Amino acid sequence: MTNRSSLRLNAALVIGGLLTALLLGTALLSLVWTPEVPTRVRVAMRLRAPLEAGLLGTDHFGRDVVSLLMVGAWNSLAIAWPAVLLGAAIGTAIGCAAAAWKGIADEIAMRVSDVVFAFPAVLSAIMIGALMGSGPLAAILAIAVFNVPVFARVTRGVALQVWTLDYIAAARAIGKHPLRITWEDVIPNIAGALIVQVTIQLALAILTEAGLSYLGLGVRPPNPSWGRMLSDAQTYLSQAPHLAIAPGIAIALSVLGLNLLGDGLRDALDPTLKDRGAAA
């Protein structure tokens, strides 16, 4: 059973790592090279099929689909990464404070998290867009706000477990301040869980960014976006189905890769799962 668990773990890490590396590599490569200029309009080349003009054909403006996908990967990560990291930073601070002081601080933090969590990222983007205009910044803030209660709850849950350990009790007995205990003893022990959560939330952020761009609340044209590519492809599904298939597959593989990577990291970093596997 242990060998089977190790094989599943390795498969998740390897497949997830490869798909994530492909996403990152494509995004970084788009900064220095694409087959065509992604914003170049060629009316005479519009709606060409795959291999007829480029590897994946062209869209309704004659733009190269491969180039659009490559730049779209970078635009997705450019919104998803800062949004998740911002939400993680704020949520982790709230969760650590709630676990350290408990009582009324814990209650207030969790109730506020419940209220924020009740608003989906799309609704948050609409409200933020109404205040400051739609665009990448509004999408980043909307996704970050959505991630704050997620990380607050995850951090609070794992931090509370750490606060029950003997060495934390010893640190409190010698008069160590809760902030210092949190920074030196709690955060290093919950870092693994937070890293796993970041990968999972990054997958959701990419999916959310695509949804926001689909609705016109994310990346602004003419900058390429996977969600906008799907939105533009609706009119041409019968003529050029590849316009919807290509970004759809890109989104699916990116989300799948990050989820597999998160699952593999969780199994590798969680000692309780290792112990269960060994016992089985």
Side-chain angles (χ1 to χ4, degrees):
M1 179 62 72
T2 303
N3 291 334
R4 291 180 182 178
S5 299
S6 298
L7 287 175
R8 286 197 298 269
L9 168 63
N10 292 335
L13 281 176
V14 170
I15 296 174
L18 287 175
L19 290 175
T20 302
L22 178 62
L23 171 64
L24 293 175
T26 301
L28 292 175
L29 180 61
S30 71
L31 296 177
V32 295
W33 177 84
T34 55
E36 298 283 347
V37 178
T39 56
R40 181 186 175 191
V41 175
R42 300 173 296 175
V43 178
M45 301 287 291
R46 64 190 304 269
L47 299 178
R48 295 296 177 88
L51 300 180
E52 184 180 345
L55 183 62
L56 295 178
T58 60
D59 69 354
H60 57 297
F61 288 126
R63 298 175 299 183
D64 181 60
V65 173
V66 172
S67 301
L68 293 173
L69 288 175
M70 292 176 66
V71 179
W74 171 257
N75 287 334
S76 292
L77 289 177
I79 290 178
W81 261 116
V84 172
L85 292 180
L86 179 60
I90 298 174
T92 298
I94 294 173
C96 284
W101 280 280
K102 303 182 181 68
I104 187 65
D106 184 15
E107 188 67 21
I108 292 174
M110 291 303 100
R111 296 296 75 79
V112 172
S113 294
D114 289 341
V115 173
V116 175
F117 198 68
F119 292 90
V122 174
L123 183 57
S124 299
I126 293 174
M127 293 188 295
I128 293 173
L131 294 175
M132 54 185 299
S134 61
L137 182 57
I140 290 173
L141 291 177
I143 297 173
V145 168
F146 180 77
N147 275 279
V148 168
V150 175
F151 280 96
R153 288 186 171 279
V154 170
T155 301
R156 174 183 176 273
V158 292
L160 283 175
Q161 297 178 8
V162 175
W163 275 94
T164 62
L165 300 178
D166 293 339
Y167 72 91
I168 298 292
R172 297 176 66 181
I174 63 175
K176 201 172 181 180
H177 195 276
L179 282 177
R180 187 177 175 186
I181 294 175
T182 298
W183 181 256
E184 295 181 354
D185 302 312
V186 176
I187 291 181
N189 282 281
I190 66 175
L194 295 179
I195 291 173
V196 172
Q197 195 63 37
V198 164
T199 61
I200 294 173
Q201 293 305 121
L202 183 59
L204 292 176
I206 290 176
L207 193 59
T208 303
E209 185 279 327
L212 293 175
S213 294
Y214 181 88
L215 296 174
L217 300 172
V219 177
R220 294 172 179 169
N223 294 321
S225 168
W226 291 344
R228 185 168 294 281
M229 291 175 68
L230 284 173
S231 178
D232 293 340
Q234 289 183 103
T235 309
Y236 307 97
L237 283 177
S238 59
Q239 296 175 262
H242 65 280
L243 296 182
I245 294 174
I249 291 177
I251 295 171
L253 290 179
S254 299
V255 173
L256 175 63
L258 286 165
N259 278 324
L260 287 176
L261 182 62
D263 288 342
L265 288 174
R266 181 193 60 194
D267 294 342
L269 296 174
D270 191 340
T272 60
L273 293 178
K274 292 180 181 180
D275 294 340
R276 291 174 189 170

